[in-house]
Amino acid sequence: MLSKFAFVVIVFLSFFGFANPIKIEIVSDYNPSFGEAPGDLATQLLLIITRNLKNDMKIDFVPASREREWRELQNQENVCLYNKVKTPQREAMGVFVSFPLMAFPSNRLILRNKKFVSIEVSLKDALSMGLRIGVTQGRSYGLEIDDFIKANTDRMFISEGNDSAFRLRQMLVQGRLDGIIEYSSVFVTDFPSEEVLKDISFHAIGDTTATIFGYIACSDSRTGRAAVDLFERTLQKRTIQDLIIQAHANLFLPQEEVFISNSLKSAFNIKN
């Protein structure tokens, strides 16, 4: 009789274990305590999604570097990250939501005063030219580029810290680097002036995936999996999917917009 009662209690607790909103720490470089609205689309979309989950999830932002993000994901039970590229190594660290939050064209090799370089170039060829190329430590650029960086770390400039990606863009403009690996739209947003862009060229990197998706990932724990399930159900809603697709409009260069839209529709299984 006692064992039967214990079984009922366990079932009851399992069913109502998350009757109150689950508390999730979003570890990222966004710090709302500064009183500033997020400038990047990924954070804005995440806030929209979590507002849809206000009765089921409460979030707090915890500022951290990119490297620390993944340590916290593994060491804590209630951490989620967002706008993260899936790689086999990362999927071993946490649980990913199956639907994307963001979509990007592949990273470009952005060069300054190197317009003699062909419009598509491999990183191997770029390094063989003696170019000093900067990348951010702890950032994933996609499987192919990540593997290349890992094998050639000693031949590249590695930038660390919370704002390392922006610092790299500044160093390129200042002529302290020959090139960086970055999204073309991100660079143009930061440095839109014709005076800067006249010296800048954007090069497709050979043998890379055409579209990169950014996902939400959470701790591999009961709380983390519950959060993934909530994000999953929200991202299955057609209204949310349409909002994400529309939010990507005018975000990238014109020749990339249609492809990004079609890639998101495919990821969301939208047929029309």
Side-chain angles (χ1 to χ4, degrees):
M1 181 70 180
L2 183 59
S3 61
K4 184 180 291 186
F5 174 75
F7 174 76
V8 171
V9 170
I10 291 172
V11 172
F12 179 86
L13 290 176
S14 298
F15 188 78
F16 291 100
F18 293 110
N20 295 321
I22 60 174
K23 296 180 180 180
I24 294 295
E25 291 186 346
I26 304 292
V27 182
S28 77
D29 56 5
Y30 171 60
N31 190 346
S33 64
F34 292 155
E36 300 174 352
D40 64 294
L41 179 60
T43 306
Q44 294 171 21
L45 290 175
L46 179 73
L47 290 172
I48 290 171
I49 290 170
T50 52
R51 279 198 292 269
N52 275 263
L53 295 169
K54 61 182 179 180
N55 296 323
D56 299 309
M57 181 185 297
K58 180 181 182 300
I59 66 166
D60 288 308
F61 281 88
V62 178
S65 66
R66 292 180 185 272
E67 283 195 311
R68 185 188 158 201
E69 289 176 350
W70 293 99
R71 289 199 301 269
E72 292 296 312
L73 187 78
Q74 291 179 284
N75 294 333
Q76 306 298 329
E77 295 187 350
N78 65 331
V79 166
C80 290
L81 313 179
Y82 65 100
N83 198 20
K84 298 303 177 186
V85 176
K86 283 185 186 178
T87 67
Q89 181 184 13
R90 288 180 170 185
E91 288 187 280
M93 296 180 186
V95 183
F96 278 76
V97 177
S98 63
F99 294 104
L101 180 71
M102 291 287 297
F104 303 92
S106 290
N107 285 276
R108 302 294 187 227
L109 177 61
I110 305 178
L111 301 176
R112 180 179 181 272
N113 288 331
K114 299 291 184 293
K115 294 186 179 179
F116 61 85
V117 178
S118 61
I119 195 65
E120 181 174 333
V121 62
S122 70
L123 292 177
K124 179 180 178 181
D125 288 344
L127 289 183
S128 70
M129 298 175 195
L131 302 183
R132 190 167 185 245
I133 298 171
V135 295
T136 296
Q137 186 173 43
R139 172 175 172 177
S140 177
Y141 294 89
L143 189 58
E144 301 93 341
I145 297 177
D146 289 349
D147 286 344
F148 183 87
I149 292 172
K150 185 177 180 180
N152 294 274
T153 301
D154 59 333
R155 303 174 63 195
M156 308 182 82
F157 177 83
I158 311 296
S159 180
E160 304 178 20
N162 290 4
D163 60 347
S164 58
F166 179 72
R167 287 203 312 273
L168 286 176
R169 297 192 287 274
Q170 285 185 314
M171 289 176 70
L172 179 65
V173 171
Q174 294 164 356
R176 296 160 60 194
L177 290 172
D178 295 313
I180 61 174
I181 301 174
E182 185 56 275
Y183 300 113
S184 54
S185 58
V186 171
F187 185 88
V188 172
T189 297
D190 281 348
F191 300 99
S193 74
E194 291 184 12
E195 183 64 24
V196 171
L197 292 177
K198 68 180 177 62
D199 298 325
I200 300 296
S201 54
F202 302 89
H203 305 261
I205 300 173
D207 302 323
T208 58
T209 305
T211 301
I212 297 175
F213 293 116
Y215 297 87
I216 299 170
C218 299
S219 303
D220 189 0
S221 65
R222 182 168 176 256
T223 302
R225 289 181 177 276
V228 166
D229 181 61
L230 290 171
F231 285 128
E232 191 91 20
R233 281 188 278 161
T234 304
L235 285 165
Q236 283 178 339
K237 296 178 180 178
R238 180 61 186 267
T239 53
I240 296 294
Q241 295 175 349
D242 287 342
L243 184 151
I244 290 174
I245 293 170
Q246 183 58 41
H248 282 74
N250 303 316
L251 188 63
F252 301 106
L253 300 179
Q255 61 267 36
E256 295 173 332
E257 279 187 16
V258 174
F259 190 78
I260 291 298
S261 176
N262 290 339
S263 295
L264 280 169
K265 288 178 181 178
S266 177
F268 291 139
N269 297 313
I270 295 175
K271 303 301 182 184
N272 55 2

